[in-house]
């Protein structure tokens, strides 16, 4: 979250006509409140960010906090907000729902055969949550279901070959205390 370490990359993206999505790494602790993250996002916007990504790599952002943080960023930063969370603690879908109510613009999901645990919430579940709301997705449910069905076989093969550790796809609420990021946890496994 040190803006000085991002400035050169951000300038290069802008120099060559790219879209600059600057990421804020979410964590919890005594100094990490909404003001901290909003000020960080404002500093990134001042340096040319086109999109702000909140990277919740350990699934520490809980629904109430997501609603509060996204609401404040939308009010004060004025850029599209992208939220990336994992489902390590099992709260990913609820976090996305709260963030959507607050106005988040983008969320990351994974097809169900690869979703959950250290991965992202399931695309099908997230889309279903918004089905009868103003945030309804434009996903073709039949096409998504067909893709998920195909990838069930791929996921089974990858598990058999040891490329996917099934323990990485389990919910682990202790992460809220020890704060191990999803990618680190699955790589350690």
């Amino acid at each position: 979250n040190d803006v000085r370490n991002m400035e050169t990359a951000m300038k290069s993206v802008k120099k060559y006509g790219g879209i600059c999505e600057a990421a804020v790494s979410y964590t919890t602790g005594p100094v990490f409140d909404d003001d901290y993250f909003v000020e960080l996002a404002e500093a990134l916007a001042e340096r040319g960010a086109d999109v702000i990504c909140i990277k919740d790599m350990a699934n520490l952002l809980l629904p109430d906090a997501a609603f509060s943080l996204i609401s404040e960023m939308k009010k004060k930063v004025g850029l599209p907000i992208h939220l990336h969370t994992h489902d390590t603690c099992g709260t990913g879908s609820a976090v996305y729902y709260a963030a959507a109510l607050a106005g988040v613009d983008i969320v990351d999901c994974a097809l169900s055969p690869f979703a959950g645990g250290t991965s992202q919430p399931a695309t099908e579940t997230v889309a279903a949550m918004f089905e009868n709301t103003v945030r309804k997705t434009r996903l073709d449910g039949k096409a998504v279901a067909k893709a998920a069905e195909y990838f069930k076989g791929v996921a089974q093969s990858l598990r058999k070959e040891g490329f996917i550790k099934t323990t990485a796809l389990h919910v682990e609420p202790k992460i809220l205390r020890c704060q191990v990021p999803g990618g680190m946890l699955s790589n350690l496994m």
Side-chain angles (χ1 to χ4, degrees):
N1 286 343
D2 187 340
V3 176
R4 297 169 301 176
N5 290 335
M6 297 185 243
E7 286 179 322
T8 300
M10 292 175 72
K11 285 177 186 173
S12 294
V13 167
K14 300 304 282 184
K15 178 180 175 181
Y16 294 102
I19 295 172
C20 180
E21 180 175 292
V24 171
S25 294
Y26 185 82
T27 193
T28 60
V31 299
F32 302 111
D33 58 12
D34 285 358
D35 290 339
Y36 169 87
F37 293 112
V38 170
E39 287 173 18
L40 183 56
E42 288 173 322
L44 293 169
E46 288 170 11
R47 287 163 178 78
D50 298 301
V51 178
I52 299 296
C53 177
I54 301 169
K55 177 82 167 100
D56 177 25
M57 59 275 178
N59 189 208
L60 302 175
L61 183 62
L62 296 175
D64 287 349
F67 184 86
S68 176
L69 179 57
I70 300 295
S71 295
E72 287 302 304
M73 275 194 188
K74 292 298 285 183
K75 272 191 259 178
K76 296 181 178 172
V77 180
L79 293 176
I81 306 296
H82 174 183
L83 176 58
H84 175 92
T85 195
H86 295 253
D87 207 14
T88 318
C89 300
T91 63
S93 294
V95 168
Y96 281 168
Y97 192 81
L101 293 177
V104 78
D105 298 283
I106 304 164
V107 296
D108 294 333
C109 300
L111 285 175
S112 56
F114 297 106
T118 59
S119 183
Q120 284 68 53
T123 304
E124 302 94 317
T125 304
V126 172
M129 288 189 316
F130 298 117
E131 186 60 33
N132 296 309
T133 73
V134 296
R135 299 304 305 264
K136 180 178 177 169
T137 70
R138 293 183 302 262
L139 292 174
D140 177 340
K142 289 180 182 174
V144 171
K146 185 177 178 181
E149 191 60 36
Y150 170 80
F151 280 106
K152 278 183 185 175
V154 174
Q156 285 173 339
S157 294
L158 291 171
R159 280 187 203 96
K160 266 188 215 169
E161 296 170 22
F163 289 107
I164 295 178
K165 302 292 184 198
T166 56
T167 53
L169 300 178
H170 294 199
V171 169
E172 182 48 75
K174 288 185 229 167
I175 296 300
L176 290 168
R177 189 176 66 251
C178 63
Q179 301 190 12
V180 177
M184 177 187 280
L185 186 61
S186 59
N187 285 338
L188 287 171
M189 288 176 189

